Amino acid sequence: MYSESDIDGAVAAGVLTPQMAAAFRNYTASDRSAPAVDEEHFKLLTGFNDIFVSIALCLSLTAIAQIGGMVTPALGGAGVAVSAWLLAEYFTRRRRMALPSILLLLAFVGGVAATMIGGLVSLNPDLPDRADAVVGAGIALVTAVAAWAHWRRFMVPITVAAGAIALVGMAMALTLAALPAAKDAIYPIALGAGIVVFAVAMGWDMSDKERRTRRSDVAFWLHLAAAPLIAHPVFHMLGVFNQTVEIATAGIVIGLYLVFAFVALAVDRRALLVSSLVYVLYAMYALFQGAGAVELSASLTAFVIGSALLTLSVFWHQMRGLVVALLGSLKDRLPPVQTIVPA
């Protein structure tokens, strides 16, 4: 599958003319009865070789981590980080392989964090809680800087999301260091962080409303990072899994899911729906059990939610048109409902 940025690259290289690229985009949109933005394209595989290389990378990096860890935990993390960077010079910078690039980025930032954590454990594993929080903030900050350096070198779209998660971790750790009592409000803090990451994702999205460049891919991963930070704290604060779900609670869960669906349709991103799916499934399951359909509750839940999601998928473009029409002038800052590229 070729991404929008690949098409732009072909135009820049003179392989395609701008007119040919526009005609291809319009043909694809009309053939699928939906604009390209609704497809939420992102590159994960460039071919089966991506899977083959990814398996080899996982085996090699795991071996490096284990061998280094036998000497000291920090050495295992450092070995993974250095190896991931060097391998990215070939598989990311030269070969531009999608899935291996994602794995190597995750291995690099994870290796950087693991190096510092391993060193801390070796030196002094029993620090006070406040000191632990400060050190954790420092580790998160260094990890974010490492992600920034990786982005400057390789420009892998998921890197920005990885850096954002590291900064969220730093902010939460600093909050706990300054206010130890904030641990009782960890879910509201996480929700606030999720909203901030969502706003950053929307900034990247609005800079490429027709989703033709790498900026759209960056926004995709940021939305994927923001969604669980928003959904999980909201439903945890409702106590969905901490008690028997009553009809009122289940109704609130389903109502919130409809709100998330409205937001997802407006911004043309599905991450919120996926992240909150487990909660609405549980709430619906509890409703059917409360109604007496104990043996069929799981099947009925799967049927109702599955049918609803399939309907949403089939009529996504039409429903999005209705939602965007309700937003007035705000729709001009969102991805277009119709995308016809001038030839």
Side-chain angles (χ1 to χ4, degrees):
M1 184 183 72
Y2 301 100
S3 67
E4 289 288 328
S5 56
D6 288 330
I7 298 175
D8 286 337
V11 172
V15 177
L16 295 176
T17 65
Q19 293 76 17
M20 292 171 64
F24 176 75
R25 286 179 170 123
N26 289 334
Y27 167 76
T28 302
S30 61
D31 185 56
R32 295 177 180 175
S33 301
V37 291
D38 283 355
E39 299 297 327
E40 244 184 311
H41 290 302
F42 74 100
K43 185 184 290 186
L44 184 61
L45 295 174
T46 53
F48 188 79
N49 193 37
D50 278 37
I51 299 175
F52 182 78
V53 171
S54 296
I55 293 172
L57 289 173
C58 289
L59 292 173
S60 300
L61 293 173
T62 300
I64 291 170
Q66 290 178 341
I67 294 170
M70 292 178 68
V71 180
T72 174
L75 184 60
V80 169
V82 172
S83 300
W85 184 285
L86 294 176
L87 289 166
E89 290 288 347
Y90 178 73
F91 291 108
T92 300
R93 193 168 175 83
R94 291 186 58 187
R95 294 289 302 278
R96 300 186 182 277
M97 300 180 75
L99 183 57
S101 297
I102 293 171
L103 292 177
L104 289 170
L105 173 275
L106 296 176
F108 173 71
V109 295
V112 170
T115 301
M116 293 179 286
I117 294 171
L120 176 64
V121 170
S122 299
L123 294 174
N124 190 350
D126 298 318
L127 292 174
D129 290 345
R130 180 168 289 184
D132 265 341
V134 173
V135 171
I139 291 173
L141 176 60
V142 173
T143 303
V145 172
W148 175 82
H150 196 282
W151 167 257
R152 296 290 296 177
R153 178 66 175 171
F154 302 108
M155 305 288 281
V156 180
I158 193 177
T159 311
V160 179
I165 292 297
L167 290 176
V168 167
M170 182 194 71
M172 294 179 71
L174 287 176
T175 301
L176 292 175
L179 301 169
K183 64 182 180 180
D184 297 326
I186 196 67
Y187 288 127
I189 294 171
L191 175 60
I195 293 172
V196 171
V197 176
F198 178 82
V200 174
M202 288 304 302
W204 284 83
D205 250 344
M206 288 188 293
S207 68
D208 181 22
K209 293 189 294 183
E210 294 185 353
R211 297 182 180 170
R212 297 181 187 170
T213 69
R214 183 185 284 112
R215 300 184 70 84
S216 174
D217 295 336
V218 171
F220 168 84
W221 291 107
L222 282 168
H223 278 290
L224 210 60
L229 287 172
I230 294 173
H232 298 330
V234 167
F235 291 112
H236 272 289
M237 285 188 288
L238 285 173
V240 173
F241 291 137
N242 297 333
Q243 59 187 12
T244 301
V245 178
E246 299 178 354
I247 294 178
T249 303
I252 293 173
V253 170
I254 294 171
L256 281 173
Y257 196 71
L258 293 176
V259 172
F260 287 163
F262 183 91
V263 174
L265 285 164
V267 303
D268 208 7
R269 294 290 187 185
R270 297 162 177 80
L272 263 178
L273 295 177
V274 175
S275 291
S276 54
L277 183 58
V278 64
Y279 298 100
V280 75
L281 284 170
Y282 185 76
M284 187 70 72
Y285 174 80
L287 279 180
F288 282 124
Q289 278 203 323
V294 177
E295 295 182 357
L296 290 175
S297 55
S299 299
L300 289 173
T301 299
F303 177 76
V304 171
I305 300 300
S307 299
L309 292 179
L310 285 173
T311 302
L312 184 61
S313 177
V314 172
F315 296 104
W316 180 272
H317 180 58
Q318 293 85 346
M319 295 176 71
R320 184 166 185 268
L322 296 174
V323 167
V324 171
L326 299 174
L327 299 177
S329 60
L330 186 61
K331 66 182 180 182
D332 296 331
R333 307 185 67 182
L334 297 172
V337 177
Q338 297 289 342
T339 305
I340 301 297
V341 184

